[in-house]
């Protein structure tokens, strides 16, 4: 059966750890679904760019593509940048745009995996507060989603969960850590709600200096790889919109 190509679209970064982490995630996706061709393109800073990948696919005779934003919320990149790039793709390509990754129970599972890898256990939940630290956005929809994810994480048993942001919104990670301390929380952990290392994740790490534990970024976790394939499966049967930016 014909399967559309899965094109994972990452933002890109000058930090080489970013691309290395994204490539590791894509390799895990390929290993989970060997029958699907998976390509990776970047919006900025890294190669290959998304237009380069799309041009190459068209030259090879590919017709069907699922474009999957490697983004956790629907903010500017998801609403404007990516649709604009895809609208300029070769006309022969039938492109379906998948949903962004969040929110999803699989992301909650990934966050908890990283917290446990940082030394916490399920038995620590009643005495541990978590700072859910995201990159930040000026988009109210994205901010609301982060707040909802914090509530969902709280419902898994942690004694308190506070959202925080590395840029564009408040509070900062260090302020959320101090707020939990002021509430009398015995132990505080910071869970970065970001996919790959880079400038803003480093800012989150610096803000976690007074916390008891700092989890790793989501990275190439198996739950995240399964989520990418879930978004692919949801999108591949959709009809293409006449204009992705409409």
């Amino acid at each position: 059966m014909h399967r559309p190509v899965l094109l994972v679209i990452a933002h890109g970064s000058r930090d080489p750890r970013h691309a290395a982490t994204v490539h590791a995630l894509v390799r895990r996706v390929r290993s989970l679904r060997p029958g699907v061709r998976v390509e990776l393109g970047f919006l900025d800073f890294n190669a290959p760019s998304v237009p380069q990948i799309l041009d190459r696919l068209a030259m090879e005779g590919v017709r069907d593509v699922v474009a999957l934003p490697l983004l956790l919320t629907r903010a500017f990149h998801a609403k404007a940048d990516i649709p604009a790039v895809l609208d300029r793709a070769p006309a022969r390509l039938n492109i379906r745009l998948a949903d962004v990754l969040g929110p999803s129970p699989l992301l909650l599972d990934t966050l908890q995996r990283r917290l446990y890898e940082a030394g916490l256990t399920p038995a620590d939940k009643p005495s541990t507060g978590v700072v859910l630290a995201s990159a930040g956005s000026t988009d109210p929809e994205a901010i609301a989603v982060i707040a909802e994810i914090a509530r969902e994480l709280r419902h898994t048993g942690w004694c308190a969960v506070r959202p925080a942001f590395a840029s564009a919104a408040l509070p900062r990670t260090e302020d959320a850590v101090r707020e939990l301390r002021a509430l009398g929380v015995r132990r505080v952990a910071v869970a970065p709600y970001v996919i790959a290392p880079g400038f803003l994740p480093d800012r989150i790490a610096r803000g976690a200096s007074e916390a008891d534990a700092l989890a790793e970024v989501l990275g190439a976790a198996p739950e995240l790889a399964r989520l990418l394939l879930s978004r692919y499966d949801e999108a591949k049967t959709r009809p293409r919109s006449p204009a992705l930016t409409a």
Side-chain angles (χ1 to χ4, degrees):
M1 184 178 69
H2 171 74
R3 296 181 178 89
V5 171
L6 169 55
L7 170 58
V8 178
I9 300 178
H11 181 272
S13 171
R14 293 186 178 89
D15 189 321
R17 297 173 299 167
H18 175 92
T21 301
V22 172
H23 278 290
L25 176 59
V26 168
R27 286 194 297 270
R28 188 180 285 274
V29 172
R30 291 186 181 120
S31 71
L32 291 176
R33 195 76 64 86
V36 173
R37 178 176 175 181
V38 184
E39 297 286 349
L40 172 62
F42 295 91
L43 290 175
D44 205 355
F45 302 117
N46 302 106
S49 69
V50 174
Q52 287 172 335
I53 293 289
L54 293 171
D55 288 345
R56 190 178 79 201
L57 291 174
M59 289 179 62
E60 293 177 8
V62 170
R63 293 299 303 272
D64 294 311
V65 177
V66 169
L68 197 162
L70 196 62
L71 299 170
L72 297 173
T73 59
R74 270 183 50 79
F76 182 78
H77 294 304
K79 294 178 178 179
D81 283 351
I82 290 176
V85 169
L86 297 180
D87 274 345
R88 297 192 294 270
R92 68 169 288 117
L93 294 176
N94 177 29
I95 301 175
R96 296 173 177 87
L97 179 58
D99 294 333
V100 297
L101 300 178
S104 167
L106 285 169
L107 287 172
L108 291 176
D109 292 344
T110 309
L111 285 164
Q112 298 206 90
R113 167 190 287 275
R114 295 306 188 215
L115 285 164
Y116 295 152
E117 290 171 350
L120 298 166
T121 70
D124 294 320
K125 284 185 169 185
S127 61
T128 303
V130 176
V131 175
L132 180 71
S134 73
S137 174
T138 57
D139 189 299
E141 179 184 349
I143 298 297
V145 167
I146 298 300
E148 177 60 27
I149 291 166
R151 287 190 289 270
E152 292 295 327
L153 188 60
R154 166 70 179 84
H155 292 158
T156 68
W158 303 97
C159 76
V161 179
R162 294 290 185 274
F165 307 93
S167 68
L170 297 173
R172 295 287 183 257
T173 303
E174 54 270 32
D175 296 325
V177 170
R178 290 167 188 151
E179 178 190 350
L180 290 173
R181 294 275 191 222
L183 291 173
V185 173
R186 185 186 310 170
R187 183 187 292 108
V188 178
V190 174
Y193 190 60
V194 293
I195 292 173
F199 176 75
L200 293 178
D202 283 350
R203 181 180 289 176
I204 290 171
R206 290 192 298 272
S209 61
E210 297 179 19
D212 300 292
L214 171 64
E216 293 293 330
V217 298
L218 303 178
E223 296 88 353
L224 193 57
R226 294 203 305 272
L227 178 55
L228 265 68
L229 289 170
S230 175
R231 293 289 186 255
Y232 168 79
D233 290 336
E234 292 163 1
K236 67 184 180 182
T237 57
R238 294 176 185 166
R240 179 185 174 178
S241 301
L244 287 164
T245 53

